[in-house]
Amino acid sequence: MNIYNTMSRKKEQFKPMNDKRVKLFVCGPTVYDDAHIGHARTYISFDMIKRYLEYKGFAVFYMQNVTDIDDKIINRSAEVGADPEKLARKFEKRYLEDMKAVGVEGVNFFARATDHVPEIISQIETLIEKGFAYETETGVYFDEAKFPDFGKLSRRNLEDLNVHRVNIDLTKKNPGDFALWKKRDEEPLWDSPWGTGRPGWHIEDTAITEEYFGPQYDIHGGGLDLIFPHHEAEIAQMESASGKSPMVRYWMHTGFLNVSGEKMSKSLGNFITIRDLLEDHDPQVFRFFVLSTHYRSPIDFSEKTLEQAAKSLKRIQKTVEKVNELADSAADNSEDDAYFTELLENYRTKFLESMDNDFNTPKALSHVFNFVKELNKSFEDKNPSEKILKDIVAFFYEFGEIMGFDLAGKSVASDEYLSGELLDIIKDIRQKLREKKEWELSDDIRSKLTDLGIDIEDN
RNA sequence: GCCAAGGUAGCUUAGCGGCGAAGCGGUGGACUGCAGAUCCAUUACACGGGAGUUCAAAUCUCUCCCUUGGCUCCA
């Protein structure tokens, strides 16, 4: 299979360092506020990627860091008068709940920055010893000039990076030198060989990955916005500290999510958290929406596109239901089986080919839709056996497992969702009226229920 | 200014050198007492403009136009 590598800007054949074992690290959130749908886009994408790698037989260890010490957390705590640690724990908990809600379950280990301060300090010491970092009165900084490869991921050069800076810390050798350790004397702080303070932003990830994965591993992922400066800094730190290159074999970055064509931001008032979204939308529909665009492409969120996703997903769900129903009453064998076997294998192959090609979920979905269409057409004049129908259902479930759709359940707009005793009585009355062909009254009840947001579908 | 990602049917997206594809929408039909849902069929003068390379270009090169984003924190 092929994976697009941001480092080479090309698709490359995927070959982990250690046969079938894959070490995957994705930059997690800074827990100072609720996660938004842009985070969800990124983490759903990597969730799908992990699921597919496992489907292909790889043993994937997926690790994510949680940035629980950072300026944003400190500032927010000051604003709301909370303890930074409590604030971070609160939003970490909510983050985990949100991920679960959108079906992201594949992360094997979450590593908090604050649980790895000794590892961070140790890595900084190594960098100082090797001459890649220096101490000033404000902190410890990475000496960019000592790492000529700086900029290789984002394709920038040092000259460009050292201009246009504001509020330069004059103790630094170069404006682009970034903090490994910030010297502070107010909470929250930790002791270090350089006095009290706290870690810089970039160092936690390499300290964590070095601890659990070693200096080199397979895949590092994150949003497009992290390429510069965050991932660039990680490369500089880790490759300098270990003397080994490359730090990671495949850099994967997800595209942005925009809201109605604009960047999501608090000032524009179009900021949507996962919690906001799930108040009136099915998480599966959101997953479908995310996966109907390639993970590297920009994706535009709007009520309209979400609605389209809902209808598209339902089409697949309806077909799965239908195949399941047919299987209940199908014959043991049929002369049409050869036809269906070929159809199934044909589309399974196409589906897998698309997924193998840098996780092209939109292409893979289009094959599934073609399969759905062919099936529906065939059912008009062909009678598959129970066995082949079960094989078909198994394929859909497999597909659902990779994408994270629950195709085994009922479809979104099923009657099952209507409940309540009062409603049962009304439905019962309507049914009796309809049996007596009292159309006018029964239709009137139906339209009044519709006004209340309750849709009744007569069959 | 520099860098990046884009501009494909009404909408949302694949394709990225060799019959332009999927979903949604539209239209027609089946089903239904009706509506809806579902299914089938069909539709659509869609590759931003202009040059060039090639037997062949949506796909490669150049150029211009437009959109969004980054160059400070950001998934």
Side-chain angles (χ1 to χ4, degrees), chain A residues 284-322:
Chain A
Q284 290 203 64
V285 168
F286 185 72
R287 271 189 91 99
F288 186 95
F289 162 76
V290 166
L291 297 174
S292 62
T293 299
H294 186 81
Y295 76 87
R296 281 189 282 115
S297 299
I299 186 168
D300 193 53
F301 178 92
S302 67
E303 285 298 325
K304 193 175 173 184
T305 49
L306 207 60
E307 226 173 273
Q308 290 189 359
K311 288 180 175 168
S312 305
L313 174 61
K314 197 169 166 191
R315 181 166 160 82
I316 297 173
Q317 288 172 322
K318 282 283 175 187
T319 300
V320 177
E321 267 176 44
K322 187 171 176 179

Side-chain angles (χ1 to χ4, degrees), chain A residues 49-224:
Chain A
I49 285 165
K50 195 223 181 190
R51 286 164 184 257
Y52 189 65
L53 288 172
E54 289 189 327
Y55 173 83
K56 294 289 281 186
F58 293 104
V60 184
F61 191 88
Y62 178 4
M63 179 163 69
Q64 217 177 74
N65 68 307
V66 173
T67 303
D68 60 348
I69 176 62
D70 165 273
D71 287 350
K72 287 199 289 294
I73 293 172
I74 294 166
N75 294 341
R76 177 60 57 89
S77 307
E79 277 168 34
V80 301
D83 173 66
E85 185 178 340
K86 279 187 182 151
L87 184 101
R89 292 293 171 267
K90 173 186 162 190
F91 285 110
E92 175 186 292
K93 183 165 173 281
R94 290 169 69 89
Y95 168 71
L96 297 176
E97 287 166 3
D98 289 345
M99 287 300 114
K100 197 174 174 195
V102 294
V104 172
E105 298 164 341
V107 181
N108 299 96
F109 183 59
F110 289 95
R112 284 179 189 151
T114 57
D115 288 340
H116 297 83
V117 175
E119 288 83 356
I120 288 169
I121 288 171
S122 151
Q123 195 171 77
I124 296 171
E125 285 180 316
T126 304
L127 286 169
I128 293 174
E129 279 163 28
K130 293 195 172 185
F132 290 102
Y134 58 91
E135 182 183 357
T136 76
E137 50 277 30
T138 58
V140 180
Y141 297 92
F142 187 87
D143 191 347
E144 216 176 57
K146 298 281 174 59
F147 191 74
D149 274 356
F150 198 87
K152 66 180 173 182
L153 183 67
S154 57
R155 310 223 162 170
R156 301 183 193 203
N157 54 51
L158 286 174
E159 297 85 81
D160 293 345
L161 298 175
N162 282 322
V163 292
H164 297 308
R165 293 283 177 135
V166 287
N167 299 329
I168 297 169
D169 180 335
L170 293 173
T171 71
K172 296 197 293 186
K173 292 187 188 172
N174 282 298
D177 291 352
F178 52 89
L180 300 172
W181 188 264
K182 297 178 174 180
K183 293 186 181 175
R184 294 293 132 92
D185 48 21
E186 72 279 5
E187 293 280 343
L189 47 75
W190 287 262
D191 286 325
S192 82
W194 317 283
T196 57
R198 59 175 199 265
W201 174 39
H202 313 297
I203 194 74
E204 63 177 75
D205 287 328
T206 48
I208 287 166
T209 53
E210 184 179 24
E211 170 72 9
Y212 301 103
F213 286 173
Q216 295 182 294
Y217 55 98
D218 301 300
I219 303 175
H220 186 129
L224 202 62

Side-chain angles (χ1 to χ4, degrees), chain A residues 400-432:
Chain A
E401 189 56 40
I402 292 166
M403 300 292 187
F405 305 146
D406 178 20
L407 296 174
K410 279 280 184 182
S411 64
V412 183
S414 165
D415 225 32
E416 303 287 313
Y417 285 79
L418 300 177
S419 60
E421 286 177 24
L422 183 62
L423 198 59
D424 286 342
I425 294 167
I426 295 169
K427 278 158 68 184
D428 193 47
I429 293 169
R430 257 198 90 243
Q431 193 50 39
K432 290 200 167 90

Side-chain angles (χ1 to χ4, degrees), chain A residues 15 18 43 50 92 122 150 191 228 249 269 277 285 333 362 388 422 450:
Chain A
K15 213 170 166 298
N18 188 353
Y43 299 128
K50 195 223 181 190
E92 175 186 292
S122 151
F150 198 87
D191 286 325
F228 184 87
R249 295 164 74 91
L277 173 85
V285 168
N333 52 55
I388 188 71
L422 183 62
T450 303

Side-chain angles (χ1 to χ4, degrees), chain A residues 271-284:
Chain A
F271 194 87
I272 303 169
T273 66
I274 295 172
R275 279 161 199 262
D276 293 336
L277 173 85
L278 295 182
E279 268 179 26
D280 42 19
H281 292 291
D282 185 326
Q284 290 203 64

